[in-house]
Amino acid sequence: MAARRLRLLSLATLALCAAFVLPAHAQAIAEGGVAQNFYEDVLALGQDEDFVRLSGSWDLQLPEDFGFHPAARSETWTLSAHLATDDGRPVNVQFSLARLGLRAAEHDDGPFALRDLFRAHVIVISGAAGPVAAEERFARSTGAAGHDGEMGEVWIDNWQLGYGGDPGAPALTLSVSAGDTPVALRLTAERAALPQNTGGEAPLRGFVIPRLSVTGSVGDAQVTGTAWLDRFWGEVPLPGGPLAYDRLVLQLDDGTDVSLLRTRRRDGGGIATLDGAAIGPEGQVSLLSDETLDMTPRQDWRPKGGTAAYPIGWTIRGAGLDLTLTPLRHDQRHAFLFPVWSGGVRVDGTRDGNPVTGVGTLQLTGYEDE
């Protein structure tokens, strides 16, 4: 039962990524002057017979599974890092990279054929009053983005995510920038990777590393902290669906990590559903759902000149948790091709009656003005 529910959480996580990545790609293709038929190609990825529909059981192989899975139609790498400078200023860093396959490698369409599309973003939020830097990039697989298995890295332009080291304690390096802010981080797994959908019930595979220790630099400041990694590959849900998502990752000072996904209809109808998991200090997993947990908005924010209300503050109660979430700052909305509010939060409250504090990343989709 536990493994099944965790697989459902993974499916929802990938759906969340696809919900804003695919429309962004499609719009970039159309606006960038590439032939319009590629727009239909992207929308029709689910029927593209070039790619293998994943099925059957599988075993996680690290560090290899950090790298490309070219037979899969899509794959994503997502990092949420919760850091602090030497003088205690909080810094939230987010990195997301997605690959969307259009044509399999065996098609001999020439060296400049459009086989894969890549989309990535970096977000850097420096405390309540410091700068916010966010950048989004698109590329195609003709040298501007790709994977080097021997070097152990994936990249888009000069943004790089490196992997390697001891398979029992995976280490990553992140070298990116947002605007004029360079980011250089080293991330070492404190907990074992949690493979998802190993029984093969869904055409999706991947793993989560719920806590990595982080050292490095953001701009001129040295930083330390923790991070959460999601890594998935497989089927891509088609864009333009009726669902929107609120995603929350929390890392508490007692060693607990929490992931929640709240799913709702974009038209405001129906009842939101909640799925998630809490990973305790010893690695024990407790499943969370709307049957055991209430995730209630308590604070809204509206962008200047807009009418959309983003729920940026929340309370979480149930399953031993009594937490209050406060955003690092109100305006953490980013004008990507598909707008998203995504930023850092502070956490105060109790777990099993004991006081806790923490940090996290909150991502809100589907609130933008239509």
Side-chain angles (χ1 to χ4, degrees):
M1 180 64 177
R4 176 177 176 272
R5 291 296 301 278
L6 278 175
R7 286 192 290 271
L8 292 177
L9 174 62
S10 300
L11 284 167
T13 301
L14 187 63
L16 169 65
C17 297
F20 65 90
V21 169
L22 280 176
H25 270 300
Q27 185 173 345
I29 295 167
E31 294 181 353
V34 182
Q36 179 62 29
N37 66 303
F38 280 115
Y39 181 86
E40 286 80 15
D41 286 344
V42 173
L43 296 182
L45 277 173
Q47 289 75 44
D48 190 341
E49 296 180 357
D50 278 1
F51 299 95
V52 174
R53 181 178 174 84
L54 300 178
S55 63
S57 60
W58 67 285
D59 295 318
L60 179 64
Q61 302 290 329
L62 292 180
E64 292 82 4
D65 280 331
F66 283 110
F68 269 20
H69 294 77
R73 195 172 279 113
S74 172
E75 50 191 328
T76 60
W77 297 256
T78 308
L79 270 169
S80 299
H82 313 114
L83 312 172
T85 61
D86 291 342
D87 59 2
R89 173 169 50 89
V91 179
N92 179 270
V93 174
Q94 301 169 52
F95 171 74
S96 175
L97 172 64
R99 179 190 67 84
L100 301 173
L102 296 180
R103 298 281 283 172
E106 57 264 24
H107 291 284
D108 187 12
D109 297 327
F112 300 105
L114 183 61
R115 303 190 188 282
D116 299 287
L117 296 175
F118 295 82
R119 182 262 180 190
H121 74 240
V122 174
I123 300 170
V124 179
I125 299 165
S126 300
V132 173
E135 187 173 337
E136 182 179 36
R137 295 184 181 182
F138 300 90
R140 54 191 290 180
S141 55
T142 55
H147 167 243
D148 188 323
E150 292 185 4
M151 294 290 293
E153 64 181 23
V154 295
W155 78 87
I156 179 169
D157 296 332
N158 62 340
W159 293 355
Q160 299 173 349
L161 177 66
Y163 62 88
D166 182 359
L172 304 175
T173 57
L174 181 67
S175 177
V176 295
S177 60
D180 296 328
T181 304
V183 176
L185 303 177
R186 178 175 176 81
L187 309 97
T188 304
E190 292 187 5
R191 300 216 170 104
L194 301 176
Q196 310 288 283
N197 192 36
T198 54
E201 290 86 350
L204 171 71
R205 296 174 181 174
F207 59 95
V208 168
I209 300 180
R211 183 169 291 224
L212 302 100
S213 62
V214 185
T215 60
S217 61
V218 175
D220 296 330
Q222 296 299 305
V223 294
T224 58
T226 58
W228 175 292
L229 171 73
D230 289 320
R231 171 75 179 102
F232 294 105
W233 58 93
E235 290 292 300
V236 178
L238 289 177
L243 298 180
Y245 308 88
D246 304 317
R247 176 76 196 285
L248 181 64
V249 170
L250 302 178
Q251 298 188 305
L252 306 181
D253 64 356
D254 70 347
T256 301
D257 302 305
V258 178
S259 177
L260 294 173
L261 193 72
R262 182 175 177 267
T263 308
R264 66 188 196 284
R265 286 173 52 177
R266 287 180 180 270
D267 63 9
I271 299 174
T273 61
L274 187 67
D275 271 294
I279 299 93
E282 303 303 321
Q284 66 275 27
V285 177
S286 301
L287 297 173
L288 306 173
S289 72
D290 41 28
E291 298 175 355
T292 60
L293 199 71
D294 290 323
M295 182 175 170
T296 307
R298 66 177 187 87
Q299 180 184 11
D300 287 342
W301 171 80
R302 287 175 170 81
K304 186 176 180 179
T307 59
Y310 290 82
I312 60 174
W314 296 79
T315 58
I316 296 172
R317 293 192 174 98
L321 299 172
D322 188 350
L323 306 175
T324 299
L325 276 58
T326 304
L328 290 181
R329 57 202 303 156
H330 289 186
D331 186 357
Q332 299 183 90
R333 180 181 182 272
H334 312 292
F336 298 147
L337 288 180
F338 196 87
V340 61
W341 193 103
S342 190
V345 295
R346 298 186 301 271
V347 185
D348 296 282
T350 62
R351 179 175 180 268
D352 294 333
N354 299 310
V356 292
T357 61
V359 288
T361 296
L362 173 65
Q363 185 176 77
L364 306 171
T365 70
Y367 294 98
E368 65 278 358
D369 296 328
E370 298 289 341

